[in-house]
Amino acid sequence: MGIRWVSVAVFSPPACISRKTSASGRCEATIASKTEDYIKYLTERVVAYMDTPPEVRKEQRILHKSTRMPWHVRWFGMIPLSIAIWWKRRRERKAQRQKTTPHDS
C-alpha cells in the first residue's frame, strides 16, 4: 500500500520538515509527517502545562480573561460598534433638525 503523498502548499520552510519536491518545485509533505509534528507540538504543550504550578496557571487564566475583548466584539467584530455610532449620530441629527425647524401649534 505505501505512503500517499499529498500536495500541500507550504509558505514557511520549517513547517515542511519531511518533504518531497515535485516536478513543479512545490513542497509536498506527507500526512504522516504532519501528524508527527502535531503530536510533538501537543506533547510539548502538555508537558509545559504540567510543569507550571497551579497558582501560576490560575494567575495566567485571570490575566487572560481580564485582557480579553468583550463578547460582542469577539462574536461580531466591529459591527456592533459601527451600528452604535451610526444610531447615536442618527439621534443627534434628528434632535438637531427638531431644534432648527419650528413646530406648528
Side-chain angles (χ1 to χ4, degrees):
M1 186 145 154
I3 297 175
R4 266 181 70 198
W5 292 94
V6 178
S7 178
V8 178
V10 177
F11 299 105
S12 60
C16 190
I17 295 171
S18 173
R19 64 182 175 210
K20 176 182 175 185
T21 306
S22 66
S24 64
R26 290 179 33 193
C27 177
E28 295 179 351
T30 63
I31 293 175
S33 68
K34 286 186 169 282
T35 304
E36 291 170 6
D37 293 341
Y38 185 65
I39 290 173
K40 181 180 175 185
Y41 167 75
L42 283 179
T43 306
E44 290 172 355
R45 293 290 302 227
V46 169
V47 169
Y49 177 81
M50 296 304 287
D51 287 343
T52 310
E55 298 83 21
V56 175
R57 287 187 298 217
K58 187 172 183 178
E59 289 174 11
Q60 289 174 347
R61 191 170 34 250
I62 292 170
L63 178 65
H64 175 71
K65 285 185 178 183
S66 68
T67 59
R68 197 163 62 172
M69 300 293 272
W71 68 271
H72 56 82
V73 174
R74 284 185 285 134
W75 284 24
F76 305 110
M78 296 301 290
I79 294 172
L81 177 65
S82 61
I83 290 173
I85 291 171
W86 171 75
W87 193 260
K88 182 179 177 184
R89 287 185 181 171
R90 183 178 170 270
R91 276 190 288 148
E92 289 172 355
R93 276 189 248 132
K94 195 174 187 179
Q96 187 72 21
R97 272 190 244 134
Q98 287 178 355
K99 285 182 183 178
T100 57
T101 55
H103 290 275
D104 295 328
S105 317

